[in-house]
Amino acid sequence: MSLNVAEILDGCRLFSAVEPAGFQRLGTIARLVKFGKGQLILREGQECPGVYVVGSGLVRVFKTGPQGKEHVLHMVGPGQTFAEVAAIGGFEVPASAEAVAPTTCVLLPIDRFRKALEEDHALCLGMMTGLTFWVRHLVSLMEDVVLRDAAGRLARYLLDAPVGPNGRVELPTLKRHLASHLNLTSETFSRTLRRLVEGGLIAEPDGNHVQVVDRKGLQKIAQGLAPKV
């Protein structure tokens, strides 16, 4: 069953502290947008169209270096947002975004979104609270790269990733995108995933999904409290 605008916004943590009146206003300016697999949604340096909230599918947000090498900053799944900082700050998008699966989003157009923030003090405060969750997420990403080994990074990702209706975590079709996000080589990512499967912590029913079997075990690995797998 397809989601509507209200359902997608309601499932987004960025708006979890917004009061009902402000939430209703966001719903009046929002519209659904859909993207096919492999479709480029945003290009680094372009004007920001607004805030995107993912309702279904998966989006990779990435930077491209001078030599054309790409680095995935994060994978955005249902209930998560992208281009929110550029929309609030009113500057060009700092990274590109591509749908890695058929994706449905809610778009809050930047002009009407910024006007709502300027006119509604309570809405602005609610959004600030929501942004603290995003800052905490960024700090966690930094911790992963600096303090955790490959197994710890992958365990943390699987624990934090949105879970589908069947209890599974959807992985990008191209595993190298997720490997880049975790700052791992493709070979190290595949080897680590296999070790988690062999250790009975996760199951891989197909190439694009992972089932968490032992959540407590994954939590210990993410915290560095378990023997290396």
Side-chain angles (χ1 to χ4, degrees):
M1 183 175 62
S2 60
L3 297 172
N4 59 36
V5 167
E7 289 171 327
I8 294 174
L9 291 178
D10 188 53
C12 179
R13 201 170 192 182
L14 181 63
F15 308 115
S16 60
V18 173
E19 296 180 354
F23 187 85
Q24 185 176 8
R25 181 168 184 175
L26 292 177
T28 63
I29 68 175
R31 59 186 174 90
L32 286 175
V33 288
K34 296 186 177 184
F35 306 97
K37 178 181 177 181
Q39 184 174 350
L40 190 66
I41 302 171
L42 296 173
R43 189 180 299 279
E44 182 179 344
Q46 76 170 76
E47 291 186 8
C48 180
V51 181
Y52 290 87
V53 185
V54 177
S56 63
L58 193 64
V59 175
R60 72 178 181 112
V61 176
F62 63 98
K63 294 278 288 185
T64 304
Q67 306 301 320
K69 182 179 180 180
E70 295 178 355
H71 179 73
V72 179
L73 299 177
H74 54 111
M75 306 297 296
V76 187
Q80 299 176 328
T81 60
F82 59 99
E84 64 287 294
V85 175
I88 293 172
F91 49 78
E92 297 174 340
V93 293
S96 300
E98 177 192 53
V100 298
T103 299
T104 298
C105 297
V106 159
L107 172 62
L108 298 168
I110 186 168
D111 291 343
R112 299 181 69 185
F113 174 71
R114 286 177 58 83
K115 182 179 180 181
L117 292 182
E118 292 168 0
E119 295 177 349
D120 191 331
H121 182 64
L123 171 60
C124 192
L125 286 177
M127 288 288 301
M128 287 179 63
T129 300
L131 280 174
T132 62
F133 295 120
W134 175 235
V135 173
R136 188 168 64 180
H137 174 67
L138 290 179
V139 172
S140 295
L141 291 178
M142 185 179 298
E143 289 178 353
D144 283 347
V145 172
V146 175
L147 302 177
R148 291 184 175 85
D149 60 10
R153 294 178 208 174
L154 181 53
R156 167 63 76 89
Y157 175 84
L158 295 175
L159 290 169
D160 291 346
V163 179
N166 54 8
R168 298 176 180 178
V169 175
E170 182 179 4
L171 301 180
T173 303
L174 297 177
K175 300 292 196 306
R176 61 182 174 84
H177 294 329
L178 181 51
S180 174
H181 167 58
L182 298 175
N183 201 32
L184 303 172
T185 65
S186 296
E187 294 77 12
T188 299
F189 173 84
S190 297
R191 187 164 57 247
T192 304
L193 185 67
R194 186 169 62 251
R195 287 175 178 172
L196 293 180
V197 172
E198 293 172 350
L201 298 165
I202 63 174
E204 194 176 15
D206 59 62
N208 294 333
H209 294 87
V210 162
Q211 183 89 40
V212 175
V213 176
D214 184 355
R215 178 167 287 271
K216 288 185 178 180
L218 277 185
Q219 289 172 340
K220 288 182 178 180
I221 290 176
Q223 295 167 1
L225 301 177
K228 292 184 179 180
V229 296

